[in-house]
Amino acid sequence: MSQATLLEKVTEWSVETCRQELGSVLPKLLSMYHRTSDWDECIRVLKILTEMFLPHLNLADLEEECFSKVLPKVDKVFSDLMEEIASQIGGLTSQNTELRALLRNALQMMVQVLETLSGCVRHVCSFEESLALDTIRSLPSCILKVLKNTFQYCKESETVYNGRLSLVVDLLQALFKEAYSLQKGLMELLDRISLDSSATEEDACDMVIVIHSLLDICSIISNLDITLHANTWKFIIKQSIKYQGLLEERLRHSDIVCRLCDDLLASFHSCMELAEQMKQSGAPESSQSVERKFFQKTAKMCRFFANTLVHYIKEFKPYLSKSCGRLHHLYLQMYSKFPPSVYAPVISDAHCNEINSVILVAMDPLITHLLPFRPFAEVVLAETQQFGPELVFPQCLLLVNIMDKLPSLPEEVLNLWFQGSQFHEETPRLPVFQALFLSFQQCSTERAVPILVPGVMMNGQAQSQVTLHQHACVHLSACIASLPPAYFPQLEHTLLTALLCPDAQTALLAADAWCFLVRYGTAELCQHHVTLVSHLIKSCPGDCYQLSQLTFLLRRMFVMMTPNHQIEFVEKFSSREPQNLCIWQHVPLREFALDVRKRVEDDIVKSAIPVCTSWLDGGCKLGQLEKVNTALSAVLSVFRDSGDAVEEAQLQAVSRLLAQLWMRMSVSQVLSQPAVQCTLRLLLLLSVILVQSMEPQVLPQALTCLSSLLPLKCPDDIVLAALDFLASLGEIFLPPEIQSQVLPKLASLFSALLTDGSWLLQHHTLEAFAHFVEATNHEEVIPQCLPSEEIKTKVVNFLS
């Protein structure tokens, strides 16, 4: 009997005949199937085998008698059909009917192959008994290869057909629809299979292949069908967890996490783009437009991916050490594109709140699950972070979020985050406090704008928007409040490092946090830190930004000391010792009790004057001038805080000293020596306070110095101090014998400063001149200070 005759005869058989002839005909059909090279005949035999004879095989015989012998060629035939289409498609046109028919026939055969495989799946699912993987071993692998090729072909079809898609679009739709149905059926079939502890090595390998194949398919179908994409991921995660004990060491965990991250990020970006488009179009936020519905659907998918990722991390965390970098980067990428990031698109508040509540809230458990995981801590706290500028702000927010979560975690987790790396063999990592300050320092753009973030929650509602500085300070303080004492050394080291950094805002954040620590802690802790900072001030080599930041902190912390500890401070850093004047120039004296304050002020003046007179008597050496400046600064602190309460003897002693120092001022040295500039500035400031007590002959000397100096473009801080001094001269009546020396110089100085090109100095000059005009008894000098009608008009307008 010929092959054609056999096929014609078999197609007419009844179900019962097929069952009876199974043993004799099946081998002949299989032989015919393998020998034929004609695609039409091959698929015809395949359909006969699967539709007429497969139903009569027992479940236990399916693999050995049918699938293992039939399915390998199915994969080959399907691939051959795709290659044939690829080789012929270049000549496809609507006029080339023969080629069009050929290609459509090939696509139709591909559809038939998928239909045949779907029939196999339905038949296996029809068995009521439990299914074992070894009874269908060849079926999943064949189907997954065919599905991957099919979806890839559908995905590339628009490019492949290059404008001729309409000629075959109906068959491509049928192909995708049948593949969709086949994958759905396969996942239902595999879900019925149960692998227990007796599963073989081959079973485990086959299930791993299934999961990894579906993972590859996921990357293809992500833009083809949302529902299929989601269902495929559900199946992958479900099977991975179902057989966790059997598969966890075999799965490509890094690939699974990476694909989930990619899909989540892609969905998130789609949400942000849709929200931006709706904002630009001005569509009502409550409308049920197509864009609005698509936005909600995309947001739902995004939340699904986030929840799926968290679920997978929870189950397989020990195997995700290589994925921590990707997870960290995912968090940063998402927050870099979400308000208030300067790199985020402009979207409405409603969409912003919706994305936050639907998507980003789902990301929070991800961080919670990863906190105890050392590889994640090593990635987040790495000493060198290769960030683009758009990721710096999200890193700062992440560290703040982490600090919020740490207080409730066990000691070993706190050690991981608060202590940093302890041994050389560890991967280097920073303590979380140090990482936060470094991150905050890098957020220069966000601080300059400034961007605003939601304040802390109260009664379930966020407070008004706050700056990044306020946000970091509040959460840092909350973390410090619950910090175990064992971690104070790391905290103090970090605060000091940040305080001494060149970035002023970072130093201010450190000072704010340090003050909270001092206020929240014990009085002894406050005393300890005031003492520590005082020693650091003494060790500072001259004037520098670090000294400014240390003295700023000292003044803030000193007000928190108890009276008893203040007295101990006086005893430890005696104001009678000249070497301690560098500290006392910065201590807020008004915080002392009156009797202690009087004693300290008297000691400061008595110890400062000998320093200055010694310098005068020793030849006025420039190398020793820093000590004089320190002494004068300490005296200035006394007079600023005490005002009218200064004793007459102190006033006279300091006034005599000022007279001697004014005589030593050299214009050339002021311009070339920073130390002399500081001396002049201090002389001017002290002269403002002591102008009523100054010896009359000092005023011409001081004004002569300024008249020579100011036209030479001296530093602005000297000009500002000089303006204060000129304004104070309005408070005294000049003796007749010096009026001719003082008033012309005074008028000349005001006239020059009022015509200065700098608007800022002009404003300060107007203020100083107004103060002088209101107080002076020498009205005759006022017109001489106004060299032109323009200046006169400007002054009149300012005074009115």
Side-chain angles (χ1 to χ4, degrees):
M1 186 183 299
S2 67
Q3 291 185 9
T5 304
L6 176 60
L7 291 178
E8 290 296 333
K9 183 178 180 180
V10 168
T11 54
E12 296 175 358
W13 285 357
S14 65
V15 173
E16 181 59 27
T17 304
C18 290
R19 185 183 65 77
Q20 292 173 354
E21 299 295 332
L22 176 65
S24 61
V25 175
L26 185 59
K28 296 178 183 179
L29 291 174
L30 289 171
S31 175
M32 186 185 307
Y33 173 72
H34 285 293
R35 288 199 309 271
T36 184
S37 58
D38 181 76
W39 292 330
D40 284 313
E41 184 173 325
C42 182
I43 293 175
R44 183 184 180 193
V45 175
L46 176 63
K47 294 180 71 175
I48 290 173
L49 283 168
T50 56
E51 293 176 6
M52 300 184 69
F53 291 95
L54 182 64
H56 302 294
L57 291 173
N58 295 324
L59 179 60
D61 298 328
L62 289 178
E63 175 65 19
E64 184 177 352
E65 296 295 330
C66 183
F67 291 155
S68 64
K69 298 175 180 178
V70 171
L71 296 179
K73 188 170 183 179
V74 171
D75 180 33
K76 183 180 183 306
V77 169
F78 199 84
S79 298
D80 291 344
L81 286 168
M82 292 181 65
E83 290 177 5
E84 177 66 16
I85 294 174
S87 66
Q88 299 289 337
I89 198 170
L92 178 62
T93 64
S94 57
Q95 289 79 27
N96 192 340
T97 56
E98 184 178 349
L99 180 57
R100 178 183 177 186
L102 176 66
L103 294 181
R104 286 182 62 84
N105 184 55
L107 286 171
Q108 185 63 56
M109 284 190 281
M110 290 170 64
V111 174
Q112 290 174 358
V113 171
L114 295 177
E115 290 173 345
T116 301
L117 292 174
S118 293
C120 294
V121 170
R122 286 193 297 271
H123 174 64
V124 176
C125 288
S126 67
F127 289 98
E128 294 184 358
E129 60 253 54
S130 60
L131 301 177
L133 191 56
D134 59 357
T135 61
I136 58 165
R137 195 173 303 281
S138 302
L139 184 61
S141 59
C142 173
I143 291 176
L144 289 169
K145 290 177 184 177
V146 170
L147 285 174
K148 183 178 178 181
N149 288 334
T150 302
F151 288 130
Q152 187 67 45
Y153 188 78
C154 291
K155 185 176 183 178
E156 298 172 353
S157 59
E158 187 170 353
T159 303
V160 169
Y161 285 91
N162 192 22
R164 294 158 291 184
L165 193 61
S166 60
L167 301 178
V168 293
V169 66
D170 56 329
L171 290 176
L172 288 174
Q173 290 174 344
L175 190 67
F176 180 80
K177 183 178 180 182
E178 196 58 45
Y180 186 113
S181 177
L182 176 58
Q183 181 172 322
K184 181 180 178 183
L186 176 64
M187 291 191 296
E188 292 173 356
L189 168 61
L190 292 172
D191 200 31
R192 287 185 54 189
I193 294 175
S194 180
L195 300 180
D196 53 25
S197 57
S198 63
T200 64
E201 178 77 10
E202 191 175 11
D203 289 339
C205 290
D206 285 346
M207 186 55 70
V208 167
I209 290 172
V210 167
I211 292 174
H212 289 165
S213 298
L214 286 170
L215 182 63
D216 293 337
I217 289 174
C218 261
S219 64
I220 299 172
I221 64 176
S222 58
N223 294 325
L224 293 179
D225 189 275
I226 291 178
T227 304
L228 180 62
H229 191 204
N231 288 336
T232 305
W233 268 117
K234 287 178 184 178
F235 180 83
I236 290 172
I237 303 304
K238 181 179 180 181
Q239 298 302 311
S240 299
I241 295 173
K242 181 179 179 181
Y243 304 118
Q244 184 172 355
L246 185 64
L247 307 181
E248 58 186 0
E249 295 183 357
R250 307 168 187 267
L251 291 172
R252 300 199 315 255
H253 297 290
S254 295
D255 289 346
I256 293 173
V257 169
C258 185
R259 295 274 173 80
L260 271 174
C261 290
D262 290 344
D263 287 343
L264 172 55
L265 189 61
S267 295
F268 178 76
H269 284 162
S270 295
C271 276
M272 296 302 297
E273 289 171 5
L274 288 167
E276 183 181 24
Q277 291 169 10
M278 286 187 282
K279 173 71 173 179
Q280 292 173 346
S281 66
E285 295 171 357
S286 59
S287 69
Q288 289 301 309
S289 62
V290 174
E291 293 84 356
R292 173 67 178 169
K293 291 179 180 178
F294 188 47
F295 169 79
Q296 291 175 327
K297 190 174 184 179
T298 306
K300 186 177 179 181
M301 274 298 294
C302 201
R303 183 180 180 91
F304 162 77
F305 286 127
N307 289 335
T308 301
L309 181 61
V310 171
H311 190 41
Y312 194 84
I313 289 170
K314 181 180 178 182
E315 297 296 333
F316 295 101
K317 185 168 59 180
Y319 299 92
L320 301 181
S321 58
K322 294 181 180 180
S323 302
C324 288
R326 183 67 185 93
L327 293 167
H328 178 218
H329 202 62
L330 168 71
Y331 187 97
L332 301 186
Q333 286 177 301
M334 292 180 69
Y335 276 90
S336 72
K337 297 300 182 183
F338 187 73
S341 170
V342 295
Y343 297 92
V346 177
I347 63 176
S348 69
D349 291 341
H351 287 142
C352 185
N353 294 333
E354 188 170 353
I355 291 172
N356 183 59
S357 61
V358 173
I359 302 170
L360 296 182
V361 166
M363 291 293 292
D364 199 54
L366 181 145
I367 302 302
T368 302
H369 287 305
L370 289 172
L371 284 181
F373 197 35
R374 178 175 290 270
F376 182 70
E378 290 171 349
V379 167
V380 175
L381 301 177
E383 290 183 349
T384 54
Q385 298 279 10
Q386 302 299 323
F387 288 154
E390 74 280 3
L391 302 184
V392 171
F393 173 61
Q395 170 74 353
C396 189
L397 294 182
L398 172 61
L399 292 169
V400 170
N401 187 12
I402 288 172
M403 282 196 312
D404 288 345
K405 298 177 183 298
L406 289 177
S408 61
L409 298 177
E411 182 180 355
E412 59 270 19
V413 181
L414 299 186
N415 290 338
L416 183 64
W417 289 92
F418 285 136
Q419 287 190 338
S421 52
Q422 301 292 301
F423 307 101
H424 291 297
E425 56 269 22
E426 289 186 83
T427 300
R429 69 181 189 280
L430 301 173
V432 67
F433 293 125
Q434 186 176 348
L436 174 65
F437 279 105
L438 288 175
S439 178
F440 180 84
Q441 185 174 348
Q442 293 171 337
C443 294
S444 54
T445 301
E446 288 77 9
R447 290 184 279 128
V449 171
I451 63 168
L452 300 177
V453 297
V456 295
M457 299 291 289
M458 291 187 65
N459 300 322
Q461 296 293 324
Q463 294 298 288
S464 59
Q465 301 284 299
V466 298
T467 64
L468 180 60
H469 178 101
Q470 292 172 294
H471 179 72
C473 186
V474 168
H475 291 269
L476 179 58
S477 299
C479 187
I480 291 173
S482 60
L483 188 69
Y487 304 111
F488 274 26
Q490 287 85 3
L491 172 63
E492 292 169 352
H493 180 271
T494 297
L495 291 176
L496 180 58
T497 302
L499 182 76
L500 299 181
C501 81
D503 183 75
Q505 280 188 293
T506 303
L508 178 60
L509 177 61
D512 289 342
W514 207 330
C515 288
F516 175 83
L517 173 63
V518 167
R519 183 182 294 277
Y520 190 82
T522 62
E524 288 71 23
L525 181 66
C526 177
Q527 181 190 28
H528 166 70
H529 284 169
V530 168
T531 303
L532 171 65
V533 172
S534 299
H535 280 299
L536 290 171
I537 290 172
K538 286 187 69 174
S539 66
C540 267
D543 194 16
C544 55
Y545 71 84
Q546 291 95 335
L547 178 61
S548 299
Q549 285 152 197
L550 284 168
T551 55
F552 171 68
L553 178 62
L554 176 65
R555 287 191 293 270
R556 292 181 64 182
M557 290 199 301
F558 201 88
V559 301
M560 304 177 200
M561 291 183 74
T562 64
N564 289 337
H565 287 159
Q566 288 178 348
I567 293 174
E568 291 180 22
F569 180 86
V570 173
E571 294 171 354
K572 185 182 292 290
F573 301 98
S574 173
S575 51
R576 298 175 183 176
E577 301 293 335
Q579 63 267 29
N580 291 329
L581 290 176
C582 61
I583 298 173
W584 285 106
Q585 64 179 313
H586 305 294
V587 174
L589 300 175
R590 67 176 69 87
E591 298 301 324
F592 286 104
L594 186 59
D595 56 333
V596 179
R597 174 178 169 182
K598 286 290 185 184
R599 175 163 56 87
V600 169
E601 290 175 345
D602 187 57
D603 289 343
I604 290 173
V605 174
K606 287 180 179 179
S607 61
I609 290 178
V611 173
C612 298
T613 55
S614 175
W615 179 77
L616 290 167
D617 296 340
C620 303
K621 297 177 180 178
L622 282 175
Q624 301 296 317
L625 192 56
E626 288 291 347
K627 294 181 179 179
V628 174
N629 290 339
T630 298
L632 290 177
S633 182
V635 172
L636 179 61
S637 176
V638 170
F639 281 86
R640 274 179 170 171
D641 282 355
S642 298
D644 298 334
V646 178
E647 295 180 0
E648 184 64 26
Q650 291 179 335
L651 284 173
Q652 295 302 323
V654 174
S655 295
R656 288 192 296 272
L657 175 64
L658 292 183
Q660 292 177 281
L661 290 172
W662 269 115
M663 294 178 65
R664 297 295 189 275
M665 283 297 100
S666 165
V667 172
S668 60
Q669 288 184 329
V670 170
L671 292 174
S672 61
Q673 300 294 329
V676 182
Q677 293 173 11
C678 181
T679 306
L680 176 59
R681 182 177 61 81
L682 291 168
L683 284 179
L684 288 167
L685 295 176
L686 280 167
S687 298
V688 171
I689 298 173
L690 301 178
V691 68
Q692 302 281 0
S693 306
M694 288 178 64
E695 298 177 6
Q697 65 272 20
V698 176
L699 296 179
Q701 178 71 30
L703 291 174
T704 299
C705 176
L706 293 176
S707 296
S708 302
L709 182 64
L710 293 182
L712 301 178
K713 302 298 181 184
C714 62
D716 288 347
D717 60 338
I718 292 180
V719 176
L720 295 175
L723 286 171
D724 289 340
F725 174 64
L726 295 177
S728 70
L729 295 181
E731 300 172 4
I732 61 173
F733 181 80
L734 299 173
E737 61 270 18
I738 65 169
Q739 288 184 14
S740 61
Q741 303 175 58
V742 171
L743 293 178
K745 289 185 174 65
L746 183 63
S748 175
L749 285 168
F750 268 127
S751 175
L753 289 168
L754 284 169
T755 57
D756 188 277
S758 167
W759 66 268
L760 183 61
L761 286 179
Q762 273 200 18
H763 180 78
H764 284 284
T765 304
L766 287 169
E767 287 184 331
F769 186 66
H771 181 79
F772 174 82
V773 169
E774 291 172 359
T776 186
N777 291 314
H778 301 281
E779 292 87 354
E780 68 276 9
V781 77
I782 295 176
Q784 302 173 33
C785 299
L786 307 174
S788 66
E789 286 299 320
E790 180 183 356
I791 297 299
K792 183 177 181 181
T793 302
K794 185 183 296 184
V795 170
V796 170
N797 290 338
F798 182 84
L799 293 175
S800 59

